[in-house]
Amino acid sequence: MFPFTQRRKENQLVQQCTEWFTAHRARLVAYARQQADSSTDVELLVTGTVTQVTRALCEGRVSADDLLPYTLRSLFNAAARLREQNLRRYRTEQSYGGQLSTLPEHPACTDTTPDDRQLRLRRALRELPPELATVVTLRIWDELTFPDMAARLGLPESTLRSRYTAALKRIKSKISAAR
């Protein structure tokens, strides 16, 4: 009987949280806009924070009286983590784009900027088959090692390494063809 009572209490807390977040959404979004770099980040921050705060309330780590300060602190911390993650991803893209741009100079391509290279890189990645794109995404943007990817995907490391190498070759050929 205890689990049923516990579940009912959690459902009531979730309902109260939902009502509270609905009532305060405009203020939370305004605060998130101050913390975030883009409108997409704002939605990610608010959605993630709602989930985190609801869990904390259900687990008893925060009281209903401290909901607003806890939520604002959570939004602030999530924004800091997201900025750091975006910065790390941007640096990785820059270094990765630079590695791919070591192709011989062609007179028609001397006016390309780093933004053009990034655009070509993203297009080439979208054109890859899903199994190759997944390996590249996990390796470069999620910064996973091959053993971590093998554990997550349930594939041998050697298969992932060969897919990664094949994906890089395809990306290089697509970028050089786009020039």
Side-chain angles (χ1 to χ4, degrees):
M1 277 212 171
F2 179 72
F4 177 73
T5 310
Q6 183 70 21
R7 195 172 313 132
R8 181 187 297 167
K9 181 181 177 185
E10 285 181 6
N11 288 341
Q12 289 172 348
L13 287 173
V14 168
Q15 181 62 30
Q16 289 172 354
C17 257
T18 304
E19 291 169 3
W20 188 88
F21 280 114
T22 303
H24 293 87
R25 180 160 177 81
R27 282 188 355 182
L28 293 174
V29 168
Y31 183 74
R33 278 195 187 119
Q34 294 173 354
Q35 305 300 321
D37 298 331
S38 70
S39 58
T40 305
D41 289 350
V42 169
E43 285 303 316
L44 285 172
L45 287 173
V46 171
T47 304
T49 302
V50 166
T51 304
Q52 177 188 352
V53 170
T54 303
R55 270 195 206 126
L57 188 66
C58 289
E59 293 171 359
R61 290 184 284 136
V62 66
S63 68
D65 298 334
D66 297 331
L67 204 54
L68 182 62
Y70 183 81
T71 302
L72 294 178
R73 193 171 347 110
S74 296
L75 268 172
F76 181 80
N77 292 338
R81 283 191 307 273
L82 188 61
R83 274 194 301 276
E84 181 62 32
Q85 181 183 12
N86 286 342
L87 181 62
R88 208 173 32 243
R89 181 175 292 132
Y90 177 75
R91 286 181 182 154
T92 302
E93 287 177 1
Q94 290 296 334
S95 67
Y96 187 61
Q99 292 170 8
L100 292 176
S101 65
T102 57
L103 299 169
E105 286 294 323
H106 187 275
C109 302
T110 54
D111 58 357
T112 59
T113 63
D115 291 335
D116 294 335
R117 286 192 299 262
Q118 292 300 321
L119 197 64
R120 285 196 303 265
L121 175 62
R122 288 177 189 230
R123 281 189 196 133
L125 187 60
R126 270 183 280 177
E127 293 174 5
L128 286 177
E131 63 273 1
L132 297 181
T134 300
V135 173
V136 171
T137 303
L138 290 174
R139 177 75 176 136
I140 294 178
W141 283 279
D142 291 347
E143 300 175 351
L144 290 179
T145 62
F146 286 108
D148 292 339
M149 286 190 290
R152 182 180 282 188
L153 298 175
L155 294 170
E157 278 184 56
S158 59
T159 301
L160 295 173
R161 287 180 193 276
S162 63
R163 285 182 182 179
Y164 181 70
T165 304
L168 289 182
K169 286 180 184 176
R170 285 191 184 188
I171 289 173
K172 284 181 183 181
S173 68
K174 296 247 185 220
I175 287 178
S176 64
R179 289 184 164 196

